[in-house]
Coordinates of all heavy atoms in Angstrom, one line a residue:
M1 N 124.6 88.7 81.9 CA 125.8 89.4 82.2 C 125.5 90.5 83.2 O 124.6 91.4 83.0 CB 126.4 90.0 81.0 CG 127.5 89.2 80.3 SD 128.7 88.7 81.4 CE 129.8 87.7 80.5
A2 N 126.2 90.5 84.3 CA 126.0 91.6 85.3 C 126.6 92.9 85.0 O 127.8 92.8 84.4 CB 126.4 91.1 86.7
T3 N 126.0 93.9 85.1 CA 126.8 95.2 84.9 C 127.7 95.5 86.0 O 127.7 94.8 87.1 CB 125.8 96.4 84.8 OG1 125.2 96.5 86.1 CG2 124.8 96.1 83.7
K4 N 128.6 96.5 85.9 CA 129.5 96.9 86.9 C 128.8 97.2 88.2 O 129.1 96.8 89.3 CB 130.3 98.1 86.4 CG 131.6 98.2 87.1 CD 132.5 99.3 86.5 CE 133.8 99.4 87.2 NZ 134.6 100.6 86.7
S5 N 127.6 98.0 88.1 CA 127.0 98.4 89.4 C 126.3 97.2 90.0 O 126.1 97.1 91.3 CB 126.0 99.5 89.0 OG 124.9 99.1 88.3
E6 N 125.8 96.3 89.1 CA 125.2 95.1 89.7 C 126.2 94.3 90.5 O 125.9 93.8 91.6 CB 124.6 94.2 88.6 CG 123.2 94.7 88.2 CD 122.7 94.1 86.9 OE1 123.4 93.4 86.3 OE2 121.6 94.3 86.6
R7 N 127.4 94.1 89.9 CA 128.5 93.3 90.6 C 128.9 94.1 91.9 O 129.1 93.4 92.9 CB 129.7 93.3 89.7 CG 129.6 92.2 88.7 CD 131.0 91.8 88.2 NE 131.7 92.8 87.6 CZ 131.6 93.2 86.3 NH1 130.8 92.4 85.5 NH2 132.3 94.1 85.8
K8 N 128.9 95.3 91.9 CA 129.2 96.1 93.1 C 128.2 95.9 94.2 O 128.4 95.7 95.3 CB 129.2 97.6 92.7 CG 130.1 98.4 93.8 CD 130.2 99.8 93.3 CE 130.6 100.7 94.5 NZ 130.2 102.1 94.4
Y9 N 126.9 95.9 93.8 CA 125.8 95.6 94.6 C 125.9 94.2 95.3 O 125.8 94.0 96.4 CB 124.5 95.8 93.9 CG 123.2 95.5 94.7 CD1 122.8 96.4 95.7 CD2 122.6 94.3 94.6 CE1 121.8 96.1 96.6 CE2 121.5 94.0 95.4 CZ 121.1 94.9 96.4 OH 120.0 94.6 97.2
L10 N 126.2 93.3 94.3 CA 126.2 91.9 94.8 C 127.4 91.7 95.8 O 127.3 90.9 96.8 CB 126.5 90.9 93.7 CG 125.3 90.8 92.7 CD1 125.5 89.8 91.6 CD2 124.0 90.4 93.5
S11 N 128.5 92.4 95.6 CA 129.7 92.2 96.5 C 129.4 92.9 97.8 O 129.8 92.4 98.9 CB 131.0 92.7 95.8 OG 131.0 94.1 95.8
S12 N 128.6 94.0 97.8 CA 128.3 94.6 99.0 C 127.2 93.7 99.8 O 127.3 93.7 101.1 CB 127.8 96.0 98.9 OG 126.7 96.1 98.0
V13 N 126.4 93.0 99.2 CA 125.5 92.2 99.8 C 126.3 91.0 100.4 O 126.1 90.6 101.6 CB 124.5 91.5 98.8 CG1 123.7 90.3 99.4 CG2 123.5 92.6 98.3
A14 N 127.3 90.5 99.7 CA 128.1 89.3 100.2 C 128.9 89.8 101.4 O 129.1 89.0 102.3 CB 129.0 88.8 99.2
N15 N 129.3 91.0 101.3 CA 130.2 91.6 102.4 C 129.4 91.6 103.8 O 130.1 91.8 104.8 CB 130.7 93.0 102.1 CG 131.9 92.9 101.1 OD1 132.5 91.8 101.0 ND2 132.1 94.0 100.4
I16 N 128.1 91.7 103.8 CA 127.3 91.7 105.0 C 127.7 90.4 105.8 O 127.7 90.4 107.0 CB 125.9 91.7 104.8 CG1 125.5 93.1 104.2 CG2 125.0 91.4 106.0 CD1 124.1 93.2 103.6
G17 N 127.9 89.3 105.1 CA 128.1 88.0 105.8 C 126.7 87.3 105.9 O 125.7 87.9 105.5
C18 N 126.7 86.0 106.2 CA 125.5 85.3 106.2 C 124.4 86.0 107.1 O 124.5 86.2 108.2 CB 125.7 83.9 106.8 SG 124.2 83.0 106.8
I19 N 123.3 86.3 106.4 CA 122.2 87.1 107.1 C 121.5 86.2 108.1 O 121.0 86.7 109.1 CB 121.2 87.6 106.0 CG1 120.4 88.7 106.6 CG2 120.4 86.6 105.3 CD1 121.1 90.0 107.0
L20 N 121.5 84.9 107.9 CA 120.8 84.0 108.8 C 121.7 83.8 110.1 O 121.2 83.8 111.2 CB 120.5 82.7 108.2 CG 119.7 81.6 109.0 CD1 118.4 82.1 109.6 CD2 119.5 80.3 108.2
C21 N 123.0 83.5 109.8 CA 123.9 83.4 111.0 C 123.8 84.6 111.9 O 123.8 84.6 113.1 CB 125.3 83.2 110.6 SG 125.7 81.5 109.9
R22 N 123.8 85.8 111.2 CA 123.7 87.1 112.0 C 122.4 87.1 112.7 O 122.4 87.5 114.0 CB 123.7 88.2 110.9 CG 123.6 89.6 111.6 CD 123.5 90.6 110.5 NE 124.8 90.9 109.8 CZ 125.4 92.0 110.1 NH1 125.1 92.8 111.1 NH2 126.5 92.3 109.5
H23 N 121.3 86.7 112.1 CA 120.0 86.7 112.8 C 120.0 85.7 114.0 O 119.5 86.0 115.1 CB 118.9 86.4 111.9 CG 117.6 86.2 112.4 ND1 116.9 87.3 112.9 CD2 116.8 85.1 112.8 CE1 115.7 86.8 113.4 NE2 115.7 85.5 113.3
L24 N 120.7 84.6 113.8 CA 120.7 83.5 114.9 C 121.7 83.8 116.0 O 121.9 83.0 116.9 CB 121.0 82.2 114.2 CG 119.9 81.6 113.2 CD1 120.4 80.4 112.6 CD2 118.6 81.4 114.0
G25 N 122.5 84.9 115.8 CA 123.6 85.2 116.7 C 124.9 84.4 116.6 O 125.6 84.3 117.5
F26 N 125.1 83.9 115.4 CA 126.3 83.1 115.2 C 127.5 84.0 114.7 O 128.5 83.5 114.2 CB 126.1 82.1 114.1 CG 125.1 81.0 114.5 CD1 124.6 80.1 113.6 CD2 124.7 80.8 115.7 CE1 123.7 79.0 113.9 CE2 123.8 79.8 116.2 CZ 123.3 78.9 115.2
G27 N 127.2 85.3 114.6 CA 128.2 86.2 114.1 C 128.2 86.2 112.6 O 127.1 85.7 112.0
T28 N 129.1 86.8 111.9 CA 129.1 87.0 110.5 C 130.0 86.0 109.9 O 131.2 85.8 110.3 CB 129.5 88.4 110.1 OG1 130.8 88.7 110.7 CG2 128.5 89.4 110.4
K29 N 129.4 85.2 108.9 CA 130.3 84.2 108.1 C 130.3 84.6 106.8 O 129.4 85.3 106.3 CB 129.6 82.9 108.4 CG 129.8 82.3 109.7 CD 129.6 80.8 109.7 CE 129.4 80.2 111.0 NZ 128.5 79.1 111.2
D30 N 131.4 84.2 106.1 CA 131.5 84.6 104.6 C 130.3 84.0 104.0 O 129.8 82.9 104.2 CB 132.8 83.8 104.1 CG 134.0 84.6 104.5 OD1 133.9 85.7 104.9 OD2 135.1 84.1 104.2
A31 N 129.7 84.8 103.0 CA 128.5 84.5 102.4 C 128.6 84.3 100.8 O 129.5 84.9 100.2 CB 127.4 85.4 102.8
E32 N 127.6 83.5 100.4 CA 127.3 83.5 99.0 C 126.1 84.2 98.7 O 125.3 84.5 99.5 CB 127.2 81.9 98.5 CG 128.4 81.2 98.9 CD 128.1 79.7 98.6 OE1 126.9 79.3 98.5 OE2 129.2 78.9 98.6
I33 N 125.8 84.5 97.4 CA 124.7 85.2 97.0 C 123.6 84.2 96.8 O 123.7 83.3 96.0 CB 124.8 86.1 95.8 CG1 125.9 87.2 96.1 CG2 123.6 86.6 95.2 CD1 125.4 88.2 97.0
H34 N 122.3 84.4 97.4 CA 121.2 83.6 97.1 C 120.1 84.4 96.4 O 119.8 85.4 97.0 CB 120.7 82.9 98.4 CG 119.3 82.3 98.2 ND1 119.2 81.2 97.3 CD2 118.1 82.6 98.7 CE1 117.9 80.9 97.3 NE2 117.2 81.7 98.1
H35 N 119.6 83.9 95.4 CA 118.5 84.6 94.6 C 117.2 84.1 95.2 O 116.9 82.9 95.2 CB 118.6 84.5 93.2 CG 119.7 85.2 92.5 ND1 121.0 84.6 92.5 CD2 119.8 86.3 91.8 CE1 121.8 85.5 91.9 NE2 121.1 86.5 91.4
I36 N 116.3 84.9 95.6 CA 114.9 84.6 96.0 C 114.1 84.5 94.8 O 113.8 85.5 94.2 CB 114.4 85.6 97.1 CG1 115.3 85.7 98.3 CG2 113.0 85.2 97.5 CD1 114.9 86.7 99.3
R37 N 113.7 83.3 94.5 CA 113.1 83.0 93.1 C 111.6 83.1 93.2 O 111.0 83.1 92.1 CB 113.6 81.7 92.5 CG 115.1 81.6 92.4 CD 115.6 82.3 91.2 NE 115.0 81.7 90.0 CZ 115.7 80.7 89.3 NH1 116.7 80.2 89.8 NH2 115.1 80.2 88.2
R38 N 111.1 83.0 94.3 CA 109.6 82.8 94.4 C 108.8 83.8 93.8 O 107.6 83.7 93.5 CB 109.2 82.5 95.8 CG 109.1 83.7 96.7 CD 108.1 83.5 97.7 NE 108.4 82.3 98.6 CZ 108.6 82.4 99.9 NH1 108.5 83.4 100.5 NH2 108.8 81.2 100.5
F39 N 109.4 85.1 93.6 CA 108.6 86.2 93.1 C 108.4 85.9 91.6 O 107.6 86.7 90.9 CB 109.3 87.5 93.3 CG 109.5 87.8 94.7 CD1 110.8 87.8 95.3 CD2 108.4 88.1 95.5 CE1 110.9 88.2 96.6 CE2 108.6 88.4 96.8 CZ 109.8 88.5 97.4
G40 N 109.0 85.0 91.0 CA 108.9 84.7 89.5 C 109.8 85.7 88.8 O 110.6 86.4 89.4
G41 N 109.7 85.6 87.5 CA 110.5 86.4 86.7 C 111.9 85.9 86.6 O 112.2 84.7 87.0
K42 N 112.8 86.7 85.9 CA 114.1 86.2 85.7 C 115.0 86.2 86.8 O 114.9 87.0 87.7 CB 114.8 87.2 84.6 CG 114.2 87.0 83.2 CD 115.0 87.8 82.3 CE 114.3 88.2 81.0 NZ 114.7 89.5 80.5
R43 N 116.0 85.3 86.9 CA 116.9 85.2 87.9 C 117.6 86.4 88.2 O 117.9 86.9 89.2 CB 117.9 84.1 87.6 CG 118.9 83.7 88.7 CD 119.8 82.6 88.3 NE 120.5 82.0 89.4 CZ 121.6 82.4 89.8 NH1 122.2 83.3 89.2 NH2 122.1 81.8 90.9
S44 N 118.0 87.1 87.0 CA 118.8 88.4 87.2 C 118.0 89.5 87.9 O 118.6 90.4 88.4 CB 119.2 88.8 85.8 OG 118.1 89.0 84.9
N45 N 116.7 89.3 87.8 CA 115.8 90.3 88.5 C 115.5 89.9 89.9 O 114.9 90.8 90.6 CB 114.6 90.6 87.7 CG 114.8 91.2 86.4 OD1 115.8 91.9 86.2 ND2 113.9 90.9 85.4
A46 N 115.8 88.7 90.3 CA 115.4 88.3 91.7 C 116.2 89.0 92.7 O 117.4 89.4 92.6 CB 115.6 86.8 91.7
P47 N 115.4 89.3 93.9 CA 116.2 89.9 95.0 C 117.2 88.9 95.5 O 117.1 87.7 95.5 CB 115.1 90.3 96.0 CG 113.9 89.5 95.6 CD 114.0 89.1 94.1
V48 N 118.3 89.5 96.2 CA 119.3 88.6 96.7 C 119.6 88.7 98.1 O 119.4 89.8 98.8 CB 120.7 88.8 95.9 CG1 120.6 88.4 94.5 CG2 121.1 90.3 96.0
I49 N 120.0 87.7 98.8 CA 120.4 87.8 100.2 C 121.7 87.0 100.4 O 121.9 86.1 99.6 CB 119.3 87.2 101.2 CG1 118.9 85.7 100.8 CG2 118.0 88.0 101.2 CD1 118.0 85.0 101.8
P50 N 122.5 87.3 101.4 CA 123.8 86.6 101.6 C 123.5 85.4 102.5 O 123.0 85.6 103.6 CB 124.7 87.6 102.3 CG 123.7 88.6 103.0 CD 122.4 88.5 102.2
L51 N 124.0 84.3 102.2 CA 123.9 83.1 103.0 C 125.3 82.4 103.0 O 125.9 82.3 101.9 CB 122.9 82.1 102.5 CG 121.4 82.6 102.7 CD1 120.5 81.6 102.0 CD2 121.0 82.7 104.1
C52 N 125.7 81.9 104.1 CA 127.0 81.1 104.2 C 126.7 79.7 103.4 O 125.6 79.3 103.2 CB 127.4 80.8 105.6 SG 126.2 79.8 106.6
P53 N 127.8 79.1 103.0 CA 127.6 77.8 102.2 C 126.7 76.9 102.9 O 125.9 76.2 102.1 CB 129.1 77.4 102.1 CG 129.9 78.5 102.2 CD 129.2 79.4 103.2
E54 N 126.8 76.7 104.2 CA 125.9 75.7 104.9 C 124.4 76.2 104.8 O 123.5 75.4 104.4 CB 126.3 75.6 106.3 CG 125.4 74.7 107.1 CD 125.2 73.3 106.6 OE1 126.3 72.8 105.9 OE2 124.2 72.6 106.7
H55 N 124.1 77.4 105.1 CA 122.8 77.9 105.1 C 122.2 78.2 103.7 O 121.1 78.3 103.4 CB 122.7 79.2 105.8 CG 122.6 78.9 107.3 ND1 123.3 79.8 108.2 CD2 122.1 78.0 108.0 CE1 123.1 79.2 109.4 NE2 122.4 78.1 109.3
H56 N 123.2 78.1 102.7 CA 122.8 78.2 101.3 C 122.5 76.9 100.6 O 121.4 76.5 100.3 CB 123.9 79.0 100.5 CG 123.5 79.4 99.2 ND1 124.3 79.6 98.1 CD2 122.2 79.6 98.6 CE1 123.7 79.9 97.0 NE2 122.4 79.9 97.3
R57 N 123.6 76.1 100.6 CA 123.5 74.8 99.9 C 123.6 73.6 100.8 O 123.5 72.4 100.2 CB 124.6 74.7 98.8 CG 124.6 75.8 97.7 CD 125.8 75.8 96.8 NE 126.9 76.5 97.4 CZ 128.1 75.9 97.7 NH1 128.3 74.6 97.5 NH2 129.0 76.7 98.3
G58 N 123.9 73.7 102.1 CA 124.1 72.6 103.0 C 122.7 71.9 103.3 O 121.6 72.4 102.9
N59 N 122.9 70.9 104.2 CA 121.7 70.1 104.6 C 120.8 71.0 105.4 O 119.5 70.7 105.4 CB 122.1 69.0 105.5 CG 122.9 67.9 104.6 OD1 122.6 67.8 103.4 ND2 123.7 67.1 105.3
T60 N 121.2 72.1 106.1 CA 120.2 73.0 106.8 C 120.1 74.3 106.1 O 119.6 75.2 106.6 CB 120.9 73.3 108.2 OG1 122.1 74.0 108.1 CG2 121.1 71.9 109.0
G61 N 120.3 74.2 104.7 CA 120.3 75.5 103.9 C 118.9 75.5 103.1 O 118.2 74.6 103.1
V62 N 118.8 76.7 102.5 CA 117.6 76.9 101.8 C 117.4 76.0 100.6 O 116.3 75.5 100.3 CB 117.5 78.4 101.3 CG1 118.6 78.8 100.4 CG2 116.2 78.8 100.8
H63 N 118.5 75.6 100.0 CA 118.4 74.7 98.9 C 118.3 73.2 99.4 O 117.7 72.4 98.8 CB 119.5 74.8 97.9 CG 119.5 76.1 97.1 ND1 118.6 76.5 96.2 CD2 120.2 77.2 97.2 CE1 118.8 77.7 95.8 NE2 119.8 78.2 96.3
G64 N 119.0 73.0 100.5 CA 118.9 71.6 101.1 C 117.5 71.3 101.6 O 117.0 70.2 101.4
L65 N 117.0 72.3 102.3 CA 115.6 72.0 103.0 C 114.4 72.4 102.0 O 113.3 72.0 102.2 CB 115.5 72.9 104.2 CG 116.5 72.6 105.3 CD1 116.5 73.7 106.4 CD2 116.0 71.3 106.0
G66 N 114.7 73.2 101.0 CA 113.7 73.8 100.2 C 113.1 75.0 101.0 O 113.3 75.2 102.1
A67 N 112.6 75.9 100.1 CA 112.2 77.2 100.7 C 111.2 77.0 101.9 O 111.3 77.7 102.9 CB 111.5 78.1 99.6
K68 N 110.2 76.2 101.7 CA 109.2 75.9 102.7 C 109.8 75.3 104.0 O 109.6 75.7 105.1 CB 108.1 75.0 102.2 CG 107.1 75.6 101.4 CD 105.6 75.1 101.7 CE 104.6 76.0 101.0 NZ 104.4 75.3 99.7
G69 N 110.7 74.3 103.8 CA 111.4 73.7 104.9 C 112.2 74.6 105.7 O 112.4 74.6 106.9
F70 N 112.9 75.4 104.9 CA 113.9 76.4 105.5 C 113.2 77.4 106.4 O 113.5 77.7 107.5 CB 114.5 77.1 104.3 CG 115.5 78.2 104.7 CD1 116.8 77.9 104.9 CD2 115.1 79.5 104.6 CE1 117.7 78.9 105.2 CE2 116.0 80.6 104.9 CZ 117.3 80.2 105.2
E71 N 112.0 77.9 105.9 CA 111.3 78.9 106.6 C 110.6 78.3 107.9 O 110.5 78.9 108.9 CB 110.2 79.5 105.7 CG 110.9 80.3 104.6 CD 110.0 80.9 103.6 OE1 108.8 80.7 103.6 OE2 110.5 81.7 102.8
K72 N 110.2 77.0 107.8 CA 109.6 76.3 109.0 C 110.7 76.1 110.0 O 110.5 76.3 111.2 CB 109.1 75.0 108.4 CG 107.7 74.7 108.8 CD 107.2 73.4 108.3 CE 105.9 73.0 109.0 NZ 105.3 71.9 108.3
R73 N 111.9 75.7 109.5 CA 113.0 75.5 110.5 C 113.4 76.6 111.2 O 113.6 76.6 112.5 CB 114.1 74.8 109.8 CG 115.3 74.5 110.6 CD 116.5 73.9 109.9 NE 117.5 73.6 110.8 CZ 118.0 72.3 110.9 NH1 117.4 71.3 110.4 NH2 119.0 72.1 111.8
Y74 N 113.6 77.7 110.6 CA 114.0 78.9 111.2 C 112.9 79.9 111.6 O 113.3 81.0 112.2 CB 115.1 79.7 110.3 CG 116.3 78.7 110.0 CD1 116.5 78.1 108.8 CD2 117.2 78.4 111.0 CE1 117.4 77.3 108.5 CE2 118.2 77.6 110.8 CZ 118.3 76.9 109.5 OH 119.4 76.1 109.3
L75 N 111.7 79.6 111.4 CA 110.6 80.4 111.8 C 110.7 81.9 111.2 O 110.5 82.8 112.0 CB 110.4 80.4 113.3 CG 110.2 79.0 113.9 CD1 110.2 79.1 115.4 CD2 108.8 78.4 113.4
L76 N 111.1 81.9 110.0 CA 111.1 83.3 109.3 C 111.0 83.0 107.8 O 111.0 81.9 107.4 CB 112.5 83.9 109.6 CG 113.8 83.1 109.5 CD1 114.2 82.8 108.0 CD2 114.9 83.7 110.2
T77 N 110.8 84.1 107.2 CA 110.7 83.9 105.7 C 111.8 84.6 104.9 O 112.7 85.3 105.6 CB 109.4 84.8 105.2 OG1 109.6 86.1 105.5 CG2 108.1 84.3 105.9
Q78 N 112.0 84.2 103.7 CA 113.1 84.8 102.9 C 112.9 86.3 102.7 O 113.9 87.1 102.7 CB 113.2 84.1 101.5 CG 113.7 82.6 101.7 CD 113.8 82.1 100.3 OE1 114.7 82.1 99.7 NE2 112.6 81.4 99.9
E79 N 111.7 86.7 102.7 CA 111.4 88.1 102.6 C 111.8 88.9 103.8 O 112.4 90.0 103.8 CB 109.8 88.3 102.5 CG 109.3 88.1 101.1 CD 109.1 86.5 100.8 OE1 109.3 85.8 101.8 OE2 108.8 86.3 99.7
F80 N 111.8 88.3 105.1 CA 112.2 88.8 106.3 C 113.7 89.0 106.2 O 114.3 90.1 106.5 CB 111.9 87.9 107.5 CG 112.6 88.3 108.8 CD1 112.1 89.4 109.5 CD2 113.6 87.7 109.2 CE1 112.7 89.7 110.7 CE2 114.3 88.1 110.4 CZ 113.8 89.1 111.1
L81 N 114.4 88.0 105.7 CA 115.9 88.1 105.6 C 116.3 89.2 104.5 O 117.3 89.9 104.7 CB 116.5 86.6 105.1 CG 116.3 85.6 106.2 CD1 116.8 84.2 105.6 CD2 117.1 86.0 107.5
L82 N 115.5 89.3 103.5 CA 115.7 90.3 102.5 C 115.5 91.7 103.1 O 116.4 92.6 102.9 CB 114.6 90.1 101.3 CG 114.7 91.2 100.3 CD1 116.1 91.1 99.5 CD2 113.6 91.0 99.2
E83 N 114.6 91.9 103.9 CA 114.3 93.2 104.6 C 115.6 93.4 105.5 O 116.0 94.6 105.6 CB 113.1 93.1 105.5 CG 111.9 93.3 104.7 CD 110.6 93.1 105.6 OE1 110.7 93.2 106.9 OE2 109.5 92.8 105.0
Q84 N 116.0 92.4 106.3 CA 117.2 92.6 107.1 C 118.5 93.0 106.2 O 119.2 93.9 106.6 CB 117.6 91.3 107.8 CG 116.5 90.7 108.7 CD 116.2 91.6 109.9 OE1 117.1 91.9 110.6 NE2 115.0 92.0 110.0
T85 N 118.6 92.3 105.1 CA 119.7 92.6 104.2 C 119.6 94.0 103.7 O 120.7 94.8 103.7 CB 119.6 91.7 103.0 OG1 119.7 90.3 103.5 CG2 120.8 92.0 102.0
Q86 N 118.4 94.5 103.3 CA 118.4 95.8 102.7 C 118.5 96.9 103.8 O 119.1 98.0 103.6 CB 117.0 95.9 102.0 CG 117.0 95.1 100.7 CD 115.8 95.1 100.0 OE1 114.7 95.3 100.5 NE2 115.7 94.8 98.7
A87 N 118.1 96.6 105.0 CA 118.3 97.6 106.2 C 119.8 97.8 106.4 O 120.3 98.8 106.6 CB 117.6 97.1 107.4
L88 N 120.5 96.6 106.3 CA 122.0 96.6 106.6 C 122.7 97.3 105.5 O 123.6 98.2 105.7 CB 122.5 95.3 106.8 CG 122.2 94.6 108.1 CD1 122.4 93.1 108.0 CD2 123.0 95.2 109.2
L89 N 122.2 97.2 104.3 CA 122.9 97.8 103.2 C 122.6 99.3 103.2 O 123.5 100.2 103.0 CB 122.2 97.4 101.8 CG 122.8 96.0 101.3 CD1 122.0 95.7 100.1 CD2 124.2 96.1 100.9
G90 N 121.4 99.7 103.7 CA 121.1 101.1 103.9 C 122.0 101.7 104.8 O 122.5 102.8 104.6
D91 N 122.2 101.0 106.0 CA 123.1 101.5 107.0 C 124.5 101.8 106.5 O 125.1 102.8 106.8 CB 123.1 100.6 108.2 CG 121.8 100.6 109.0 OD1 121.0 101.5 108.7 OD2 121.6 99.7 109.8
S92 N 125.0 100.9 105.7 CA 126.4 100.8 105.3 C 126.7 101.8 104.2 O 127.8 102.3 104.0 CB 127.0 99.5 105.1 OG 126.2 99.0 104.0
T93 N 125.7 102.1 103.4 CA 125.9 103.0 102.2 C 125.4 104.3 102.4 O 125.6 105.2 101.6 CB 125.3 102.3 100.9 OG1 123.9 102.1 101.2 CG2 126.0 101.0 100.6
G94 N 124.5 104.5 103.4 CA 123.9 105.8 103.6 C 122.7 106.1 102.7 O 122.4 107.2 102.7
V95 N 122.3 105.2 102.0 CA 121.2 105.4 101.1 C 119.8 105.5 101.8 O 119.6 104.7 102.8 CB 121.0 104.2 100.1 CG1 119.7 104.3 99.2 CG2 122.2 104.2 99.2
Ligands
ZN1 ZN1 124.8 81.0 107.8
ZN2 ZN1 120.6 80.1 96.3

């Protein structure tokens, strides 16, 4: 169960729009929350990034390609996208 502040955090992450589309210059698209699982531990503790449905679950997405295939295709890592996400969150919330 997500707490109120967790839900607020997740919605502000989703509000950024797809972090990969943004990086690729496709503009901002409505995003879903993707949990980066490779750090291990529980899903609820996993860091999150916003990805559009295609880049999340589609054939060219992180689940469609797998984490390794995804990173190879776009020449970046999920950690890089996480850093971008956190930088944007910092900008928008003043943290
Ligand atoms: Zn996208
Ligand atoms: Zn996901």
Side-chain angles (χ1 to χ4, degrees):
M1 269 303 181
T3 66
K4 206 173 176 187
S5 67
E6 279 166 352
R7 278 201 301 272
K8 201 177 161 205
Y9 177 74
L10 293 179
S11 73
S12 56
V13 170
N15 282 341
I16 292 172
C18 178
I19 196 70
L20 181 58
C21 284
R22 182 187 276 265
H23 176 72
L24 296 173
F26 294 168
T28 51
K29 288 198 191 147
D30 284 348
E32 303 175 339
I33 296 293
H34 170 64
H35 290 79
I36 301 176
R37 300 285 293 277
R38 74 153 57 124
F39 298 113
K42 286 190 207 148
R43 186 177 196 268
S44 57
N45 294 332
V48 294
I49 56 173
L51 290 172
C52 64
E54 176 60 30
H55 285 143
H56 189 206
R57 294 176 279 116
N59 291 334
T60 63
V62 64
H63 292 292
L65 294 167
K68 279 221 176 89
F70 178 83
E71 294 180 353
K72 232 179 170 167
R73 180 180 179 114
Y74 299 108
L75 302 174
L76 48 73
T77 64
Q78 292 182 85
E79 285 79 6
F80 170 80
L81 294 176
L82 178 63
E83 280 170 25
Q84 303 291 306
T85 300
Q86 290 176 339
L88 288 164
L89 281 174
D91 286 348
S92 60
T93 59
V95 172

